[in-house]
Amino acid sequence: RHLTIPCEMCIRDRYAAPEHFAVPPEVTAFRNDAERLGMICDLEYWYVTPEWAATFRQHLRSLVPIAVAGNPWAQYSVACIYMGGYVYSCQEECIANHGQDAKEFSLWLERCARQGFAAAVDNLITDGVGPEAERLRSICKEAEMRYSVPVEEHGLPVYPPSLFEETMQIAYGNNAT
């Protein structure tokens, strides 16, 4: 299984950050560790050591209450921890839990997307499971027809952020900003 770091870094690179949402210090701490892990990991092999897994379990414990309270940055961060399998230091354990983790990260991405977090829509469409992910894929497929053929990177299409932003507006209307 190929793991990447799908954290807030993609928001900075692809989307205008939703500035009207406060970034809690717990999210900043998670982002800093996710970036550090990204700089030291070897994507060819399993890279989450027991120490890193413990660190991300602690991040999860501190982020979940903030996410439950409705902060989309925390919701997105919780989704990223589940999506990346960061709480497992054993590849077999990560694979064994992937189905349940996919349901969990999809729920957090949906909560976040409904608040206007375009990166969550992107990740829900590309990696999410469940009825909302399917609904967004369908909306995105229709919206996709208005875009030129995407650029390919590593054999996969790369769509502009505006496609996911448009999908979000169609799906959630003016509630998504």
Side-chain angles (χ1 to χ4, degrees):
R1 179 169 163 221
H2 180 72
L3 297 176
T4 57
I5 303 216
C7 67
E8 285 79 5
M9 290 179 286
C10 71
I11 293 172
R12 278 197 310 262
D13 296 340
R14 294 184 49 121
Y15 300 101
E19 295 171 3
H20 57 283
F21 298 124
V23 179
E26 295 85 352
V27 169
T28 302
F30 161 70
R31 289 165 57 180
N32 290 341
D33 280 343
E35 288 184 37
R36 282 188 22 225
L37 177 63
M39 287 187 246
I40 65 167
C41 74
D42 180 351
L43 295 178
E44 297 282 325
Y45 303 99
W46 189 254
Y47 61 87
V48 180
T49 64
E51 295 79 18
W52 275 114
T55 296
F56 286 108
R57 282 192 297 275
Q58 181 56 45
H59 283 303
L60 195 59
R61 283 190 292 278
S62 68
L63 288 165
V64 166
I66 301 164
V68 168
N71 182 282
W73 283 103
Q75 292 168 343
Y76 191 75
S77 297
V78 169
C80 290
I81 290 170
Y82 282 109
M83 204 167 15
Y86 298 152
V87 295
Y88 307 110
S89 60
C90 165
Q91 186 173 17
E92 292 77 20
E93 187 179 9
C94 183
I95 291 168
N97 288 292
H98 179 70
Q100 184 58 40
D101 287 352
K103 291 176 188 173
E104 190 71 25
F105 73 66
S106 295
L107 290 172
W108 287 111
L109 288 173
E110 180 181 342
R111 290 175 182 177
C112 188
R114 289 182 182 278
Q115 295 189 67
F117 221 79
V121 173
D122 181 340
N123 283 303
L124 196 52
I125 289 169
T126 56
D127 295 317
V129 299
E132 186 63 10
E134 291 303 322
R135 183 176 87 89
L136 289 175
R137 282 188 196 100
S138 176
I139 293 169
C140 187
K141 195 123 193 101
E142 290 176 25
E144 185 180 322
M145 291 187 273
R146 290 187 285 285
Y147 289 80
S148 61
V149 177
V151 175
E152 296 240 343
E153 186 176 298
H154 308 291
L156 299 171
V158 177
Y159 293 99
S162 56
L163 173 63
F164 300 106
E165 292 163 350
E166 180 178 336
T167 299
M168 180 176 64
Q169 285 297 320
I170 293 168
Y172 306 121
N174 290 333
N175 291 333
T177 54

